[in-house]
Amino acid sequence: MKFVAVSLAVLSLGLATPVLAQTAPPVRYELSFDNAVHHEARITVTYRDLGREPVRFEMSRSSPGRYAIHEFAKNVYSVSAVDGAGRALTVQRSDPYGWTVAGHDGTVSVTYTLYGDRADGTYAQIDATHAHLNMPATLMWARGHDDRPVELHFRSPNSDWKIATQLAPTSDPAVFTAPNLQYLMDSPTELSDHRVREWTVDDHGTPRTIRIALHDPGTDQNADIFAERARKVVDQLISVFGDVPDFDYGTYTFLADYLPHVSGDGMEHRNSTVLSGSRSLAEADYGQIGTLSHEFFHSWNVERIRPKELEPFDFTRANATPSLWFAEGFTNYYGPLAIRRAGVSNIDRFLAEIGGQANVIVNTPARAYGSPQEMSLRAPFVDAAASIDPNNPNIFTSYYTYGATLALTLDLTLRQRFPGKTLDDYMRWMWRHHGVNEVPYTPDDLRKGLAAVTGDQAFADAFFADSIQRSGLPDLAPLLAQAGVVMRPRNATGAWAGPARLQVADSVVRLAGATVPNTPLYIAGLDGGDEIVRLGETAIDSQANWDDALKALKPGDTVSITFIQRGVERTAQLTLASDPNFELVRVENAGGTATPQQLAFRAAWLGAES
């Protein structure tokens, strides 16, 4: 998140201009965790020099890095208030999201209880092991005073707990500050008995500290291995941009929680990121490095190279941008790419990961329903946002996966058509023109950047018209061939009915999800929840029955299928097809030989294989 000098409330809520930060006393938060075992925190927030008008206190409804609505007020209760003289004040609640306090003397202290028992990038978890705090899920704030400086005073229930955060430290290890509400809400904080590993990176002569605060049941050796792999990946990501962000207060912090009662996530912030998961480093074989790589790339791409629609962030509504295919999707490409270049993974593993994403996008029916920009704008409906009513799963594909596939095709196209140019050059251009100076970009700025890097306006215009504003994809096979990589069918000869996942219970076999347009099952009229009774002469009462029945058929065969759909037994003709799914493999693994030119291209793209 970017420092902003004007109030969020002024920009997005149309309220009166608040007292200026340089004359207003700081907002003071006091957080205690005496009932941590039952997931409660007791929090007091104090505002002074408010005048005499009623003050509206709120909990946020959205969180930096998230694009959907989250009703954080639901976990706040036992709210009370006093004025500067300690007199009790009436707290009026007229809607679900806030509380109004009137009749004060210019000072208001509101105290409330927060319940939190989900540790991830969005919520808060408080227990006997830690206090894991995402600030929008934790802190109440007064509307119209967003630009006031902030002090946070933490009272830990355990003397072994340390505090890790991107908030500014003070001489008191339990007190931290923030310059305004925007920075405060962007600053997750972990209180626990965690290990710390840190090192410095060189930013053109200025050292910047990278720190991992690791809350994990493993050993010091596990922490050292993870930190060493992280250091290699961080170095590769820095090399993409040729510059290190000027981290506020000189430090970037990974807040890593890997515990059985923690939920898996990764969430970027301006000078920190939350990494969370239920498996320890050892249990996951250090697979958490993938999330670390992705999130650290965000310290350039989205935290400083920032879509205009997200600046400033509005904590009262869903924040949407049509550019998530770039902000999240290109990041999803560079995460595993940096791990490969760092030598932390091998080429085959990288091809399996990026090939899996490309396979999804090439074969998804959702591209018929919208472009990458459309998928980006659907984020408020899918980004950890659940509805009771079902939606059509065939009309959306993730902007993460879509963008990663576009990044792959664009990188290979640049290397093919513009000698000496790569996607790294494009990212550096965006960094120099929209990151270093923190000038938010528009969708059209992305197109202009591609034209500037290639020197070919027509190419940039065509790429954006065909693949960003519409749903076209370049032909991937010849692009990959430059690197001696082939697109190989996963199941070249087998009969395919569609991407059907079966749910088996007590010999009843049902389709677990909706069928996909233009696939055999869809054309035959089957849908999610239908019970499959028979395929040809084979009774279907298990996954094995279904698999064996398909193995006896070949693409082009037509067979009867009997099924029960909402209580009615039906029979249809099912014409099997060839499986369109593919995988990416080195030509050497497909029975061929890579040429010296292909090996050189591959090394320049993915780094030399050790």
Side-chain angles (χ1 to χ4, degrees), residues 98-112:
W99 301 258
T100 300
V101 179
H104 56 82
D105 59 2
T107 295
V108 178
S109 294
V110 173
T111 300
Y112 59 96

Side-chain angles (χ1 to χ4, degrees), residues 29-113:
Y29 288 91
E30 297 179 30
L31 298 89
S32 59
F33 308 93
D34 295 339
N35 200 25
V37 68
H38 294 298
H39 316 296
E40 287 187 339
R42 194 67 174 157
I43 301 171
T44 297
V45 54
T46 301
Y47 284 79
R48 302 192 304 277
D49 289 0
L50 291 171
R52 297 302 176 113
E53 296 299 315
V55 183
R56 161 92 173 177
F57 289 84
E58 295 191 7
M59 288 295 291
S60 299
R61 302 186 68 204
S62 60
S63 181
R66 291 255 81 107
Y67 307 104
I69 288 290
H70 300 275
E71 302 294 7
F72 299 123
K74 69 184 183 298
N75 287 325
V76 169
Y77 46 91
S78 299
V79 180
S80 62
V82 298
D83 66 9
R87 294 183 299 111
L89 300 170
T90 299
V91 179
Q92 181 180 6
R93 190 173 191 180
S94 57
D95 63 69
Y97 315 114
W99 301 258
T100 300
V101 179
H104 56 82
D105 59 2
T107 295
V108 178
S109 294
V110 173
T111 300
Y112 59 96
T113 298

Side-chain angles (χ1 to χ4, degrees), residues 261-562:
H261 53 279
V262 165
S263 301
D265 201 3
M267 183 54 60
E268 75 278 0
H269 298 274
R270 181 174 171 86
N271 304 295
S272 64
T273 196
V274 170
L275 305 172
S276 61
S278 59
R279 295 193 296 169
S280 69
L281 292 173
E283 289 170 333
D285 193 23
Y286 306 95
Q288 297 94 337
I289 198 70
T291 308
L292 180 146
S293 183
H294 176 104
E295 302 302 340
F296 191 65
F297 193 80
H298 273 316
S299 61
W300 293 271
N301 190 30
V302 91
E303 288 301 331
R304 290 166 176 84
I305 307 172
R306 192 159 178 80
K308 188 173 184 179
E309 297 85 2
L310 302 184
E311 194 62 36
F313 198 85
D314 186 340
F315 303 106
T316 68
R317 63 172 178 83
N319 291 252
T321 170
S323 299
L324 290 182
W325 61 269
F326 179 82
E328 293 289 358
F330 275 39
T331 302
N332 223 38
Y333 172 68
Y334 271 103
L337 181 59
I339 295 172
R340 158 76 291 273
R341 289 174 174 175
V344 175
S345 74
N346 58 38
I347 289 175
D348 292 336
R349 189 178 302 173
F350 171 78
L351 292 177
E353 182 167 352
I354 198 65
Q357 297 191 66
N359 177 66
V360 168
I361 297 305
V362 168
N363 290 304
T364 181
R367 287 197 295 120
Y369 297 92
S371 67
Q373 290 184 331
E374 167 67 20
M375 300 308 165
S376 298
L377 289 172
R378 293 188 67 83
F381 310 136
V382 298
D383 185 29
S387 299
I388 295 175
D389 62 312
N391 56 12
N392 187 341
N394 292 315
I395 66 170
F396 174 77
T397 192
S398 170
Y399 40 85
Y400 286 85
T401 309
Y402 210 152
T405 303
L406 288 169
L408 170 67
T409 60
L410 183 56
D411 196 1
L412 295 176
T413 299
L414 292 174
R415 293 170 186 270
Q416 179 187 63
R417 292 187 53 172
F418 304 96
K421 299 295 184 182
T422 74
L423 196 66
D424 294 1
D425 294 293
Y426 183 38
M427 299 309 301
R428 290 187 195 111
W429 191 96
M430 290 298 299
W431 173 244
R432 290 194 303 269
H433 292 83
H434 294 278
V436 173
N437 53 12
E438 300 196 45
V439 175
Y441 65 84
T442 66
D444 201 47
D445 289 325
L446 293 170
R447 180 185 60 83
K448 292 176 181 176
L450 185 58
V453 167
T454 60
D456 191 331
Q457 186 72 56
F459 168 77
D461 291 348
F463 177 79
F464 273 78
D466 295 341
S467 296
I468 306 303
Q469 296 160 357
R470 294 193 293 270
S471 303
L473 283 177
D475 187 357
L476 189 54
L479 294 172
L480 290 162
Q482 302 173 95
V485 175
V486 299
M487 295 175 62
R488 183 174 67 182
R490 289 184 185 172
N491 180 19
T493 60
W496 184 74
R501 185 169 58 87
L502 302 183
Q503 184 179 63
V504 182
D506 298 327
S507 299
V508 174
V509 178
R510 299 182 185 276
L511 289 171
T515 53
V516 174
N518 301 318
T519 62
L521 286 168
Y522 186 96
I523 294 169
L526 282 83
D527 201 5
D530 291 355
E531 178 186 346
I532 300 175
V533 177
R534 186 175 299 276
L535 185 63
E537 298 301 317
T538 303
I540 305 300
D541 60 10
S542 68
Q543 180 76 53
N545 288 152
W546 174 257
D547 293 342
D548 289 343
L550 285 180
K551 288 176 184 176
L553 299 166
K554 61 181 183 298
D557 286 351
T558 298
V559 64
S560 64
I561 184 168
T562 302

